[in-house]
Structure formats: C-alpha cells, structure tokens
C-alpha cells in the first residue's frame, strides 16, 4: 500500500469513530509500527486534519476536515461518477440533474490526465429511460423545504381523485423507479404520511421552521415503519 493510500485509510478509520482510538490499534490495523503511525498523524495534521490526542491517550478526528478530491481511489471515483450520471439521466428533477452533471464535470476537471481518462473511459454508463417519469415540478421546492426544515402547504390529489389542502412537515424524499415519494408529518392527520410528488397540485413554503428537528422526525418515522413491517409480517405468518 502506498503512503498516500495509507494516509487516506487512516483518515477513514478516524472519521468512522467519535471516540479516541488507541495508537496501537490504529497501527495494528494498518500493519505499521507505532513510530510510523505517529509520523502519519503528524503529516495529516500538517495538511489541516484536526486530529486531537497524544500517544497513550488515543486519537480522534474533529469535524471540519474535507478530503481533497485526488485522495479518492479509482473505484471510489467510478462510484461517484456512476451515481452522478444516474441522477443526471434518471431524475425527474431538472435542478438536481443539472447539479449531478456539474459534479461529473468538476470531478473531471480536478483529476490528473491519466486518472481522468481512466474514469471517463471506465465503461460504466447509465442508459436513458425508455419510459419517462411522471411529471413532478414541485421536487426542487420540496427538496429545499426538507433541507431548511420548513413546513409547507400542499394541495394534494389522492387516489380517489379528491384534492385536499394540508400543512405538512417534509423530512425525506424517496426516489423509486416509478415514483418520487415525500415522507412528512401531516398536521391534519397528526401522523406520518407519504405523498407522491407527481400528485402535488400546488405547494407553498410557509418559511416557518417546523417545531421538531428533521433527524428526530426521521428517527421516529423509522421506528414506526419498522414496527409496521413487523406487524405486517406477523399477520402473514
């Protein structure tokens, strides 16, 4: 393993833990001596990594350090480019598709010639869809509301063809093959609900932050969905 790759793996191991990791453990995992580990830690600190700790205490990486793009491996770059190409070609959200294409262009512009050529000619492509996605013009506004944790007013067409108006707290978007679903807390139903983006008839961002943080809503929703799946499996048994 090259030294650059070893430094990258050391950063990834530190990034995966919130508590200090003993130097001996880090050295053993990397197959290097403690002296070499201490030199690697010093090198990373010189490059701007906020690594706190000392020998005998352990080391922890504080938030705020961003890996430069050239430190991704060739396989990681292929995965990033392939994912961005999928979003650019498969998304019904033009703004998100444009952003994905921007990612592909930026990765290509920052790589050295040999690595850029290897990624661009990797042979990994995403074919265009034969059947277009249902129109979902509200996706950009919904993404922004999720990001800002804003409550929104929805005019929504249900399966029976009725349009209802309700205030919801959108906290997640799911990109399925045939639909885009919004997970939200519905103030009308006082429960979690899922809405198809292509059935939204009108949307107005209130500009007001909903009272519960997004990560807490996701946690409660995940628990409820897990319980519902468990009950459904029990009913079928």
């Amino acid at each position: 393993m090259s030294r650059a790759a070893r430094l990258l793996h050391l950063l990834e191991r530190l990034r995966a833990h919130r508590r200090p990791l003993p130097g001996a453990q880090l050295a053993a995992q990397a197959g290097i001596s403690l002296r070499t580990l201490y030199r690697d830690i010093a090198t990373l600190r010189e490059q701007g990594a906020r690594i706190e700790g000392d020998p005998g205490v352990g080391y922890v990486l504080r938030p705020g350090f961003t890996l430069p793009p050239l430190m991704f491996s060739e396989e990681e770059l292929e995965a990033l480019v392939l994912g961005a190409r999928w979003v650019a070609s498969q998304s019904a959200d033009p703004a998100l598709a444009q952003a994905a294409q921007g990612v592909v262009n930026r990765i290509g512009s920052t790589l050295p010639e040999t690595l850029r050529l290897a990624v661009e000619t990797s042979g990994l492509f995403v074919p265009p869809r034969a059947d277009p996605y249902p129109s979902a013009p509200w996706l950009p506004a919904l993404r922004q509301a999720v990001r800002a944790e804003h409550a929104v007013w929805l005019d929504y067409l249900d399966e029976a063809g009725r349009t209802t108006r309700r205030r919801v707290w959108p906290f997640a978007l799911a990109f399925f093959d045939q639909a885009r679903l919004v997970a939200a807390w519905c103030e009308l139903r006082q429960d979690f609900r899922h809405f198809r983006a292509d059935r939204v008839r009108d949307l107005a961002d209130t500009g007001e932050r909903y009272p519960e943080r997004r990560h807490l809503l996701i946690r409660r929703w995940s628990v409820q969905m897990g319980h519902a799946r468990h009950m459904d499996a029990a009913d079928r048994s």
Side-chain angles (χ1 to χ4, degrees), residues 1 11 17 30-31 35 66-67 76 80 83 86-87 90 106 111 145 150 152 166 172-173 181 188-189 197 229 232 235:
M1 180 186 296
L11 276 173
H17 295 82
R35 180 175 297 179
T66 303
L67 290 175
E76 289 169 338
L80 286 171
W86 184 92
V87 173
Q90 306 288 314
R106 184 172 299 180
L111 294 176
H150 281 181
V152 301
R166 60 187 77 190
L173 284 168
L181 292 187
L188 176 66
R189 303 301 182 189
R229 285 192 293 269
D232 184 58
D235 290 340

Side-chain angles (χ1 to χ4, degrees), residues 109-173:
S109 67
T110 57
L111 294 176
E113 180 66 20
T114 54
L115 190 53
R116 179 183 64 79
L117 184 62
V119 171
E120 289 181 350
T121 61
S122 64
L124 304 178
F125 298 101
V126 179
R129 288 184 58 88
D131 54 328
Y133 286 111
S135 176
W138 309 111
L139 274 176
L142 284 167
R143 284 192 296 103
Q144 293 172 13
V146 170
R147 188 185 308 133
E149 300 181 356
H150 281 181
V152 301
W153 283 102
L154 284 185
D155 287 350
Y156 188 72
L157 183 68
D158 64 19
E159 293 182 356
R162 298 183 300 263
T163 299
T164 61
R165 183 170 176 82
R166 60 187 77 190
R167 180 178 155 116
V168 302
W169 309 346
F171 58 83
L173 284 168

